[in-house]
């Protein structure tokens, strides 16, 4: 309690944000752009989620960004899926997983749906737990 009171001003000033939506946005930055989100981006997208923007819309925004395009260029579905394996899971893909994601795309899932699937996967949540479990720190 004493520590909470001593740090209340700093925390409330926005240097540290502890909530589930901010954690989802942080994971989304890692999934789409393979980096931690900047403070302005985390705050804006988190506020968007709280205001009714969907996680799919966050994914669309990030994968349609100029940063994504500059970083990865034009990817076909196979390249897109394989890049997500590298970004999100820090490993190369497996044939079964790639096939399943191709199947999802063939059945009408969007690329944003695929990003959300990777980003919110248990494996990714565990991987980023140290970054998100106690709040999202802004650098």
């Amino acid at each position: 309690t004493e520590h909470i009171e001593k740090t209340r001003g700093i925390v409330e000033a926005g240097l540290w944000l502890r909530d589930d939506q901010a954690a989802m946005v942080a994971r989304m930055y890692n999934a789409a752009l393979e980096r931690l989100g900047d403070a302005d981006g985390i705050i804006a997208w988190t506020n968007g989620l709280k205001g009714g923007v969907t996680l799919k819309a966050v994914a669309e925004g990030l994968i349609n960004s100029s940063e994504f395009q500059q970083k990865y260029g034009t990817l076909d579905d196979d390249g897109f899926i394989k890049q997500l394996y590298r970004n999100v899971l820090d490993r190369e893909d497996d044939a079964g997983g790639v096939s399943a994601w191709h199947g999802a795309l063939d059945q009408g899932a969007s690329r944003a749906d695929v990003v959300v699937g990777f980003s919110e996967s248990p494996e990714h949540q565990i991987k980023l737990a140290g970054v998100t479990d106690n709040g999202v720190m802004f650098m």
Side-chain angles (χ1 to χ4, degrees):
T1 303
E2 182 179 349
H3 179 69
I4 290 170
E5 290 307 313
K6 283 184 175 182
T7 60
R8 181 178 304 282
I10 294 170
V11 171
E12 289 175 354
L15 297 175
W16 192 272
L17 181 60
R18 183 180 180 169
D19 75 26
D20 291 339
Q21 287 92 352
M24 285 187 265
V25 171
R27 285 190 296 272
M28 192 63 62
Y29 267 94
N30 181 255
L33 302 174
E34 197 177 22
R35 69 172 176 86
L36 295 176
D38 55 279
D40 290 341
I42 295 281
I43 291 167
W45 285 116
T46 299
N47 287 337
L49 285 176
K50 290 177 185 225
V53 171
T54 64
L55 196 55
K56 180 179 175 178
V58 175
E60 287 170 346
L62 293 175
I63 63 175
N64 291 324
S65 70
S66 59
E67 180 179 350
F68 184 92
Q69 299 306 314
Q70 289 171 0
K71 194 168 192 172
Y72 304 113
T74 303
L75 298 171
D76 63 11
D77 287 345
D78 196 59
F80 182 77
I81 293 166
K82 290 178 179 188
Q83 188 61 55
L84 288 173
Y85 269 91
R86 289 187 288 273
N87 288 5
V88 175
L89 306 176
D90 289 332
R91 64 178 169 85
E92 291 304 313
D93 58 273
D94 61 89
V98 170
S99 178
W101 288 114
H102 272 291
L105 289 169
D106 292 343
Q107 294 297 317
S110 69
R111 284 186 172 195
D113 291 321
V114 174
V115 174
V116 171
F118 270 91
S119 181
E120 292 304 296
S121 69
E123 190 174 351
H124 193 224
Q125 289 187 35
I126 290 167
K127 176 186 161 205
L128 288 190
V131 174
T132 62
D133 278 3
N134 293 316
V136 177
M137 186 173 189
F138 299 148
M139 302 292 177

